[in-house]
Structures are given as structure tokens and as C-alpha cells.
Amino acid sequence: MEDTQQPGSLSAPELAAVRRSLTDGRMAMTRRSLLRAGGAGALALGGLGALSACGIPPAGRTDAGRSVDRSGQEKRVSFSNWTEYLDVSDDGKRRPTLDAFTRRTGIAVKYTEDVNDNDEFFGKIQAQLAAGQDTGRDLIVLTDWMCARMIGLGWVQKLDAASLPHARANLSEQFRDPDWDPGRAHSYPWTGIPAVIAYNVKATGGRTVDSVSQLLDDPKLKGRVGFLSEMRDSVGLTLLDMGKRPEDCTADDFDAAIARLQKGVDSKQIRRFTGNDYINDLSKGDLAACVAWAGDVVQLQHDNPDIKYAVPRAGYMTSTDNLLVPDQARHKKNAERLIDYCYEPKVAARIAAYINYVCPVDGVREELAKIDRDLADNPLILPDREMAARSHSFRALHGEESKDFARKFADLTGA
């Protein structure tokens, strides 16, 4: 895929999305994060000024992968990930999965939880990538739409298929061929992130809520409905409910979905647009039903039996967080060994049992059942074929179109 846009500084709506994500975005307030509030996951906002002031050079590089790989001489790999996105020991001091990798391979892993938001992280590394410099990171995890942007700019190295036997064999069919990285030439998914409908059965009077039409039109839910502040999830689910495919969304389709959501705002059917902060409102019943991320639902159900979920009849949205090797990374081969290791079913099961999002690895069910039978049977973690077939992804957006869509969604949400 080639991106011919002339990338510049972030627009005002995109900057607003960054600030919003830092405080209530997808990974900001998981159940485990709440238990560790005030810890190392906090991020200073000082870097945001640089995002608005610093644009990207006017053309993407096309020579990604020409760096000299030092994996043979330097037995280490630097891995940047989101917070609470890899298993930890009970005392919180060790990373069992990474420790086992190091024991097996002799490769030391420097693991850093410094991805707090896609745009914010992009702002950290863009100047070095544009200059053809090493970012100090060999492996990063970003969401699919940002991966598309990075690949289009030529800032991601192609992966060596010969170094990824487990990944090639065990990658679930659902994730094998995204439009933004055909054949997974540059990326492998870390997790799938379904957006479904969650509801509090006490607050709904025992009724099931299983469609966006109910969220927007049921008078019994008025003022107690939440949608996500992530554009692709909320607009994508609305498009599906309207009989449209987010994979083929036109500007007119997008405007129609925005207009439908705007009616819900104007009528006060929608209480608010949220990040992970729907967790407390849904548990208390202040929100009767909302669009929610599956990983949160799994964790909420541990604590509150009144929390239920439904896969919308029209289908649901799935995005992915993905493993990438940045241009000029010093230890590409070591990074590929770590990617491949994470696609071994036993390893993938340990990771899935901790993070509770969709595991993209086939053959993991038996291993996950050894850890927790309920998790192994949960379709929000291991979708069956029927559920996977109902999954949809928002198409890649480029250039002015991306900024235009972000502006319209920001106007809707009041961001």
C-alpha cells in the first residue's frame, strides 16, 4: 500500500483525540489499571505541544529495512507496548512470558509501557523515522489505522517470513489479509479489539440490548446510553446498523451515520461519548447500555454478574493492535524471534489469559483451558467461526479525508 498524502502536523480534532485518549482512552482505565492507579502508567502531557508544532517532512521514505541488523552481535531487543498489555507475576516484579523467552534464546528484552495513544506515540518517533534514524525500539505495538499510516510512509520494515514459522502457521484466518497490509508483509496482530454492546441487566429491567437501533431509538434507554469516543467503533457500528459496510464507507455514508448519531445527541438519547470511563457508569447502572470494548466486558463480568453483552445483529467492529519493526531498528531478527515466540499456543494462552482481548493465534484453546476454562469458552477472547464471520473493520483513511472525518466526529462528540 502506498500513501501519497503530504503528511503534516495533526489537525485540531486529532490533537483533541490525543488528549482525550490519554485520560480515558481504550487502555487508560482497565480494571487492573484502576487497581494500580497513580503508578507508572501516568503520562506527562508536556509532549503534546510538540505534536501541534512539529509537522512531518513532506514525503515518506521508501527504503525501510536497509538498516544493518546487529542481532547476531547484540543479544537484546527493545519492545514498546501499551500499559497492562502483557502478563506480570503476582508480585508485579517479573514478566513471565518475556523471562521464558530470554531463558530459551539468550535475548534480553527491554520492555517499556510507553505507548499511551497512537498519535502521541507517533509524535515521539516521527522525527527520527523521517530522518532515517533508529528510534531505539525494535518492536512496537500500534493500532491498525496508525500501522497503515506508518507503512504508507515507508517507516516499517518488511518481515522475513522464514523467521516466523509459528506466526505464519498459527495466525487466525480472520486477521490474515487486512487491506492496509496485504498478506501481513509488515505486521502481525498482538490482539483483536472487538467493539460490542454491553448492558446492565438490572438497569434495563431484564431486557437484552443487541442493536444500535435499540441504543438510539428505545425510549426506555433515553439518557442512559453511551457510545465510544473512538470514531471507527461508534461510526462503524452505526454504519452496520444502517446496512452499510465500514470496509467500503464513502463520505456520504459517513455523513449519514454522523447525522443518525447527532439525532441521538440532540434528543438526549445518548448520555455521552466515553473512553474506558464507561466502566463505572455501567456497573452502577448510570449507563443502562453502551458500546464497549470486549476486553473490558470480560473483566467487568468477573466483578459484576449484572453486566451482559451482545454481539449486534448487524455485526460488530474489530480493530487490531499490531506488532511492527520500525525502520532502522538495530535488532530486527531478534524482534522477529520474539514475534514468532508469541505465536506459540502455550505462550499466546498466557498472554490472552492476562489481557482478555481476542487472541489472534489458532490452536490456543486447549492451552487457555488449562489456565482458565471460562476464558477458553469465551467468544470475546476466542471467537468461533460464526462470530468471526460477523466481524468488520473500518477501511484505511488517508490525508484530508482522515482530517475531515475526525473533524466531523469531534463536532458530534463536542471534543
Side-chain angles (χ1 to χ4, degrees):
M1 182 182 70
E2 188 145 60
D3 190 344
T4 58
Q5 73 183 74
Q6 300 295 305
S9 59
L10 299 177
S11 66
E14 289 171 322
L15 278 170
V18 174
R19 294 186 173 92
R20 186 169 60 246
S21 291
L22 293 178
T23 55
D24 63 7
R26 175 167 50 82
M27 296 304 294
M29 285 182 64
T30 64
R31 183 170 60 90
R32 283 187 294 266
S33 294
L34 288 170
L35 294 175
R36 293 173 54 182
L43 174 75
L45 295 180
L48 287 173
L51 285 179
S52 58
C54 179
I56 310 170
R61 292 172 54 82
T62 59
D63 59 348
R66 294 183 182 175
S67 59
V68 176
D69 191 356
R70 298 166 178 81
S71 294
Q73 299 79 34
E74 300 173 358
K75 292 292 187 180
R76 58 181 181 269
V77 62
S78 178
F79 183 8
S80 285
N81 205 346
W82 299 70
T83 59
E84 302 292 344
Y85 229 17
L86 184 66
D87 57 307
V88 298
S89 59
D90 291 341
D91 61 9
K93 295 180 179 179
R94 295 178 295 105
R95 298 280 180 186
T97 290
L98 298 184
D99 292 346
F101 174 76
T102 298
R103 286 194 299 271
R104 180 194 296 185
T105 65
I107 299 170
V109 183
K110 178 185 177 184
Y111 185 75
T112 310
E113 294 180 318
D114 60 344
V115 184
N116 300 278
D117 173 89
N118 286 283
D119 280 317
E120 182 267 342
F121 187 78
F122 184 76
K124 288 182 183 180
I125 62 177
Q126 62 173 347
Q128 292 162 298
L129 289 169
Q133 298 172 353
D134 175 27
T135 66
R137 300 166 175 88
D138 303 302
L139 193 60
I140 60 178
V141 177
L142 294 173
T143 307
D144 43 25
W145 58 269
M146 180 56 78
C147 296
R149 185 178 185 184
M150 294 268 291
I151 293 169
L153 289 166
W155 292 351
V156 177
Q157 297 195 47
K158 282 192 174 181
L159 299 173
D160 180 2
S163 299
L164 299 161
H166 294 99
R168 287 188 295 114
N170 296 333
L171 176 60
S172 297
E173 184 65 32
Q174 179 182 358
F175 301 111
R176 281 189 174 268
D177 198 30
D179 62 355
W180 50 269
D181 188 22
R184 289 288 178 183
H186 303 84
S187 69
Y188 270 85
W190 180 249
T191 57
I193 310 161
V196 296
I197 294 174
Y199 59 98
N200 184 319
V201 71
K202 275 190 176 178
T204 65
R207 293 180 304 125
T208 297
V209 180
D210 61 2
S211 71
V212 169
S213 293
Q214 280 179 277
L215 292 177
L216 290 175
D217 300 328
D218 187 342
K220 294 181 179 179
L221 300 177
K222 185 172 182 177
R224 298 184 297 151
V225 168
F227 276 78
L228 290 170
S229 57
E230 292 288 342
M231 178 186 76
R232 290 161 180 80
D233 290 327
S234 287
V235 174
L237 284 169
T238 304
L239 286 166
L240 288 170
D241 196 71
M242 297 168 66
K244 304 287 186 180
R245 281 173 45 86
E247 295 89 343
D248 307 319
C249 172
T250 66
D252 287 343
D253 293 337
F254 184 87
D255 288 347
I258 290 290
R260 188 160 187 228
L261 288 165
Q262 187 67 58
K263 280 186 63 177
V265 171
D266 294 343
S267 68
K268 302 191 185 309
Q269 178 80 6
I270 297 174
R271 184 185 185 97
R272 63 193 185 100
F273 291 83
T274 74
N276 283 88
D277 48 334
Y278 61 74
I279 289 174
N280 288 332
D281 286 350
L282 185 64
S283 291
K284 292 187 295 185
D286 293 340
L287 284 176
C290 64
V291 178
W293 288 301
D296 291 335
V297 175
V298 174
Q299 293 178 26
L300 277 170
Q301 289 181 323
H302 283 302
D303 302 324
N304 188 340
D306 295 327
I307 303 302
K308 309 295 181 182
Y309 77 91
V311 176
R313 295 189 294 265
Y316 66 101
M317 296 300 296
T318 297
S319 56
T320 52
D321 281 341
N322 306 273
L323 295 150
L324 306 172
V325 177
D327 187 23
Q328 304 301 317
R330 293 171 60 93
H331 309 106
K332 177 174 181 283
K333 184 69 68 175
N334 291 344
E336 289 170 338
R337 290 189 70 178
L338 182 53
I339 293 172
D340 197 59
Y341 169 77
C342 291
Y343 269 76
E344 295 179 18
K346 185 174 292 187
V347 177
R350 286 201 301 266
I351 296 171
Y354 184 82
I355 64 178
N356 294 164
Y357 280 89
V358 168
C359 180
V361 181
D362 277 343
V364 79
R365 187 178 303 276
E366 182 177 340
E367 296 296 337
L368 187 55
K370 295 175 184 176
I371 301 171
D372 188 319
R373 169 61 67 179
D374 289 340
L375 294 181
D377 292 338
N378 193 324
L380 296 182
I381 297 175
L382 297 179
D384 57 24
R385 183 169 298 185
E386 180 183 355
M387 182 169 174
R390 298 167 68 186
S391 169
H392 295 264
S393 298
F394 211 100
R395 71 173 177 83
L397 303 175
H398 304 290
E400 290 304 312
E401 177 186 55
S402 177
K403 293 184 178 181
D404 182 52
F405 281 24
R407 176 185 57 78
K408 290 174 179 177
F409 189 70
D411 289 344
L412 168 73
T413 62

